[in-house]
Each structure stands twice: as structure tokens, then as C-alpha cells.
Amino acid sequence: MSLRIVVCVKYVPDATGDRHFADDLTVDRDDVDGLLSELDEYAVEQALQIAEEADDAEITVLTVGPEDAKDALRKALSMGADKAVHVEDDDLHGSDVMATSLVLAKAVEKTGYDLVICGMASTDGTMGVLPAILAERLGVPQVTLLSEVSVEDGLVKGRRDGDSASEQLEASLPAVVSVTDQSGEARYPSFKGIMAAKKKPVESLDLDDLDLDADEVGLEGSWTKVDSAAERPARTAGTIVKDEGEGGKQLAEFLASQKFI
């Protein structure tokens, strides 16, 4: 029986762009280029490596987002994934991690899965909690923050590296895992892969397809919201300490005034 791998990926604003909030205090995605979250590329790479070791495996990449989010799916498909699922609905606008995890869980169940792989966090929200919440919604084990992962005999195994020790973990399938940026460099799509991606299937789903109501997602269905936001102050020139014999003393006084020492 084929090993069904679902990789959750996110279309995020380019971190090098000028990002800011829209009038409704959600991230304004219209004025900045988007791309596949770099941390999710590691998840795609690990899925590809697992599939290469399996006798029979199929990789589906899944995203929730606007029309442009298809660009993230195409990147993953060009890396080598087999097919994609795109959940798009105007009522999803403003969904927080709780609402997004609900949509992902419904989409994963509809797609069918043995293993769900996520990145350690998104590069825009950087919360890092979605894999755990998704596992809870699916009612399956979670093995998170892995720097090494493999599948064997109905088990997913991996190594989690901490500051002072490493843990060897395993869970029975079906399961949800997340991988860190130490799990292995993601491959660069080849020209052949880019051309092949154009012919790979991308299924589109909306809330009706997932039996979800609008009030369960979006700004209204989210558990959290942004009450206020202010632009970051412009950078100012730093304090220059001229050493004319008293430089060390001035530096110490400055650090003390800033409560650094």
C-alpha cells in the first residue's frame, strides 16, 4: 500500500520586502512579493527523501491561502512532489493559527494521509505551534522539531536536538511531524522539475468542500486578534564614544544607562 505523505506549506511575504499591516490589522500581502516559506522547503525535502526510501509513496503538498499561494505549491511540485491541494476562500481572510489548523485538518482528512510533515514554523508568524495543534485536531501522535526523520515498519522515527542532549523519538503512523532547518538542505528545482510541475494536478477546495462555516474561520472565527499596531520607528544614528582617554568609562556608563550591565 502506498505511503501517503502530506506536506503543509505556506505562502508568506518576502522577509526582505517592506511588510506592514492593512487597515483591518492583517498583514498587507498586496504590496509585497510572496514565496514558499523557506522553513517549509525543509519539510518538502524530507518528504522527498522518505519517498525515495519507500517502496511506494505519494507526496501531496497542501496550502491555505489566496490565489497567489499557488506559487508556493508550484515550487514544491517543481522540487518533486506529486500533486497539490489549494484551499482558497474569501472567508478565510484573517484566520489565525487556530482557524488555519482547523482548515488544514479537514483538508488533510479529505486528502487521506499516513504522515503529515510541517516546517518548524512559518517565516511570517513564527509561532511554531501549528504542527502540535494539527496533530491534536487529527487525533494522532506528534513528533516535532526533528533534525532527522525516517519511516520504517509503520513507525516514524527521528532525532530532536536540544541545547545539551539529543532525543531519539518514534511514533506509530498515522502521525504529524515537524522538521527543523538542520534536517538537510532543500534541493533546488531542476529545469525538468519546473516543466513537469506545470502538468501536475492542483486540486482547489473551498469551505463548502470541507463542510466548514464562515464563522469558524477568518477574523470572526479566530481565537486571537491584533488590537493595535504601530510602525517601527525609523533607525537613528547610534551613540559614538570617542576614546580620548575616557573611552572605557564612557562605554561603561552608556551600557549601564541602557541596563545592559
Side-chain angles (χ1 to χ4, degrees):
M1 183 176 179
S2 177
L3 176 66
R4 300 168 298 172
I5 304 173
V6 177
V7 186
C8 296
V9 301
K10 190 175 184 182
Y11 181 72
V12 299
D14 189 341
T16 63
D18 184 17
R19 297 172 293 173
H20 55 275
F21 286 110
D23 293 338
D24 61 358
L25 296 180
T26 61
V27 177
D28 188 342
R29 299 178 183 273
D30 294 331
D31 293 338
V32 62
D33 291 333
L35 71 170
L36 170 62
S37 177
E38 181 183 356
L39 292 174
D40 290 340
E41 292 186 17
Y42 296 97
V44 176
E45 176 60 33
Q46 290 308 303
L48 293 170
Q49 291 189 25
I50 291 171
E52 288 166 358
E53 293 295 323
D55 293 333
D56 186 14
E58 183 178 61
I59 301 172
T60 302
V61 284
L62 165 64
T63 196
V64 176
E67 172 67 23
D68 289 345
K70 282 189 173 68
D71 292 344
L73 295 176
R74 290 297 179 194
K75 173 69 177 292
L77 291 172
S78 67
M79 290 173 67
D82 299 300
K83 61 181 183 178
V85 175
H86 179 205
V87 183
E88 180 187 9
D89 197 299
D90 290 342
D91 289 322
L92 288 168
H93 174 73
S95 295
D96 68 354
V97 67
M98 297 303 294
T100 300
S101 67
L102 174 61
V103 176
L104 285 173
K106 293 287 189 181
V108 166
E109 289 174 335
K110 187 177 182 66
T111 301
Y113 71 103
D114 297 300
L115 178 65
V116 179
I117 306 180
C118 306
M120 62 188 290
S122 63
T123 54
D124 53 354
T126 65
M127 294 181 67
V129 297
L130 187 140
I133 300 172
L134 179 58
E136 179 68 19
R137 289 195 182 278
L138 293 172
V140 299
Q142 56 167 302
V143 187
T144 55
L145 300 177
L146 300 180
S147 54
E148 184 180 276
V149 59
S150 63
V151 172
E152 183 180 354
D153 298 329
L155 297 174
V156 57
K157 302 178 180 181
R159 188 185 77 243
R160 179 190 292 154
D161 295 324
D163 293 334
S164 58
S166 294
E167 302 172 276
Q168 294 292 335
L169 306 168
E170 66 178 45
S172 58
L173 298 178
V176 174
V177 304
S178 67
V179 298
T180 72
D181 54 357
Q182 301 301 310
S183 59
E185 196 68 28
R187 68 194 66 188
Y188 193 80
S190 64
F191 177 76
K192 181 179 179 181
I194 294 172
M195 297 305 294
K198 296 179 180 180
K199 298 180 180 179
K200 292 179 179 179
V202 178
E203 182 182 7
S204 296
L205 301 174
D206 59 19
L207 293 181
D208 288 338
D209 294 321
L210 301 178
D211 295 323
L212 288 172
D213 296 328
D215 58 6
E216 296 179 88
V217 298
L219 290 171
E220 293 301 317
S222 292
W223 292 26
T224 61
K225 68 177 181 178
V226 178
D227 287 328
S228 62
E231 293 222 12
R232 182 171 53 189
R235 295 184 66 175
T236 58
T239 301
I240 299 175
V241 176
K242 294 183 179 180
D243 188 4
E244 297 176 351
E246 296 286 323
K249 180 180 178 181
Q250 293 180 56
L251 181 58
E253 290 174 347
F254 172 77
L255 292 174
S257 70
Q258 299 297 314
K259 299 186 187 278
F260 290 139
I261 58 174

